[in-house]
Amino acid sequence: MRAAITLEAASVGSWEHQKLLVREAEKMGLDICWVAEAWGADAVSALGYYAACTDRMLLGSGIIQLSTRTPVAIAQAAITLSNLSGGRFLLGLGASGPQVIEGLHGQSFDRPLPRMRETIDIIRQAIAGERIAYSGKQFQIPRLGSATKPMRLSMRAEHPIPLYLASLTPAMLTLTGEVADGWLGTSFVPEGADAAYFTHLDSGLARSGRTRADLDVCQGAEVSFASDDQHLKELIDSRKTELAFSLGGMGSASTNFYNQAYSRQGWSDVAAAVKERWQAGDREGAAALITDEMVLATTLIGTASMVRDRLQVWCDTGVDTVRVYPAGERLEDRIATLGAAIELVHSITRTGR
C-alpha cells in the first residue's frame, strides 16, 4: 500500500513548520501529500509552496471544492501545479456541502452531481488543449447570447493529470467509478464497505469498462498510537467530540453526508440522535452518544500492533492508499507519528480481496 497524508495549511502552523513537515515526510518515504481547503487556507497556494519544498512525492488537492472556482479556473490551477511540480500533481475534486458552499461562499449547492460531471468534462477539454466549448445544464461556454468565440488555454499540460473524486453518496460514488482515476474516501468501515461504497464504485467502473484495479482506492483516517489500555481509552474519548461534529455539525440541518455514511454502515440510530443533540446545542450530550466501537471502526487508533492489524484489514478489503491524519500536540509529535505510520503502511502486503 501507498502512504499519504492530508494537510490543511491553516492547521499546521507557520510556513516554516509546514516546510519542515513536508520535507521530513518526503525523507521518511511518504508517497502522497494531499492538501485540504475546508474553510481555511486555499489548497492551490499551499500546493505550489509544497512543490517548491519537495522533489519526489506526489502532491494532490484534497479537495478543490466545486462552486468555489469555475471549471476553467480549476483546469488552469491543475495545469500550472502539474507543470511546475514536474508532473507530481493529482487533481482531487469534491462537492463539499451546503454549509461551506452556500453558508461561506454564497453559491448554490443545488444539483452537485450534474455540476461535478460537467465540471470534469470542461476540465478535460481544457487539459487536452482543445477549444473550450460546452453546452450543458450547469455551464454554457461561451456564455449564451455572447458574441465571443470558444478559446483554448495558452498553456499546455506537460504531464498527465490524474483525477480523484471525494464522494460519499451512492450517486457520486457511481460517478467516481465511471470517470475518475481514484477515490478519496472517508468515514470508512471495511467490514461494511461492500454495501456502503464498493457496490456503487463497481457499478460506475462497469459503465466505463473498467475494474477495481483501475481505481486507486484512497482512504483516510486519524492515526494515533497508544502506549497502554488507559492511554487508548483517552485517545478514543478525545476523538468523540470531533466525530460528533461530523455527524451533527457538518453540512446543514437537512444535508449531512457524513451522517448518511455512518447510517449506511450500521449506526443510523446513533447518527440520528447525535445530530439531534448537536443541532439543539448539546454538544457534550452528542459526544457522549459516540461509542468506542464507532471511533475504532473508522480510525487507526490503537497500539502499534492494533494499527498494523487494522491496516491489514483495510488492505485486504481493497484499499490501495492510506491517507493518514497524524495526531500529536507538537509538530515533533506529529512527525514521529507520521513516520511510524508510514513504516506500518509500507509493511502491509495484500493477502486477498
Side-chain angles (χ1 to χ4, degrees), residues 57-73:
M57 68 184 180
L58 299 175
L59 301 164
S61 56
I63 55 171
I64 288 177
Q65 303 153 324
L66 292 191
S67 304
T68 62
R69 301 166 180 85
T70 68
V72 174

Side-chain angles (χ1 to χ4, degrees), residues 21-291:
L21 177 57
V22 296
R23 284 181 171 174
E24 287 300 312
E26 186 171 65
K27 290 177 185 177
M28 293 186 295
L30 189 73
D31 299 294
I32 310 171
C33 176
W34 292 97
V35 180
E37 283 189 336
W39 46 91
D42 81 277
V44 173
S45 300
L47 282 162
Y49 180 71
Y50 298 158
C53 297
T54 57
D55 300 304
R56 177 196 57 79
M57 68 184 180
L58 299 175
L59 301 164
S61 56
I63 55 171
I64 288 177
Q65 303 153 324
L66 292 191
S67 304
T68 62
R69 301 166 180 85
T70 68
V72 174
I74 295 173
Q76 288 176 297
I79 294 171
T80 303
L81 287 167
S82 179
N83 288 356
L84 70 82
S85 67
R88 292 188 287 134
F89 177 65
L90 310 174
L91 175 58
L93 299 176
S96 188
Q99 181 56 53
V100 171
I101 299 303
E102 297 184 349
L104 180 63
H105 293 284
Q107 301 296 311
S108 173
F109 188 71
D110 187 44
R111 298 175 62 79
L113 185 69
R115 179 176 288 270
M116 177 67 83
R117 183 181 289 277
E118 292 189 16
T119 295
I120 292 168
D121 289 343
I122 296 167
I123 288 172
R124 285 182 164 160
Q125 274 192 17
I127 289 175
E130 301 173 5
R131 292 188 183 275
I132 303 165
Y134 196 83
S135 180
K137 294 184 178 180
Q138 305 296 312
F139 299 101
Q140 294 283 337
I141 304 175
R143 184 178 174 86
L144 282 178
S146 170
T148 58
K149 297 179 180 179
M151 298 174 60
R152 62 166 56 95
L153 296 180
S154 61
M155 180 173 58
R156 298 291 182 265
E158 300 169 0
H159 312 275
I161 303 177
L163 172 68
Y164 284 66
L165 295 187
S167 49
L168 283 172
T169 66
M172 197 68 81
L173 287 162
T174 302
L175 180 65
T176 301
E178 182 180 352
V179 304
D181 300 295
W183 170 44
L184 296 173
T186 187
S187 307
F188 182 76
V189 181
E191 291 82 1
D194 283 339
Y197 300 116
F198 289 141
T199 295
H200 310 296
L201 288 169
D202 291 343
S203 176
L205 286 163
R207 289 182 184 179
S208 57
R210 302 188 300 163
T211 67
R212 194 91 59 77
D214 299 305
L215 186 75
D216 179 21
V217 176
C218 180
Q219 276 304 317
E222 180 181 335
V223 60
S224 187
F225 295 103
S227 56
D228 52 40
D229 289 345
Q230 178 59 37
H231 188 205
L232 175 60
K233 179 62 176 173
E234 292 170 0
L235 291 175
I236 293 172
D237 289 344
S238 69
R239 183 70 178 78
K240 290 182 177 180
T241 298
E242 185 177 347
L243 181 49
F245 167 67
S246 295
L247 298 179
M250 288 289 284
S252 66
S254 60
T255 305
N256 183 318
F257 299 125
Y258 297 94
N259 192 289
Q260 294 169 12
Y262 273 83
S263 295
R264 293 199 307 272
Q265 294 177 104
W267 290 296
S268 57
D269 291 343
V270 176
V274 169
K275 180 180 178 181
E276 181 179 358
R277 289 200 181 186
W278 191 278
Q279 293 290 330
D282 182 10
R283 298 187 176 186
E284 289 188 5
L289 295 174
I290 301 294
T291 66

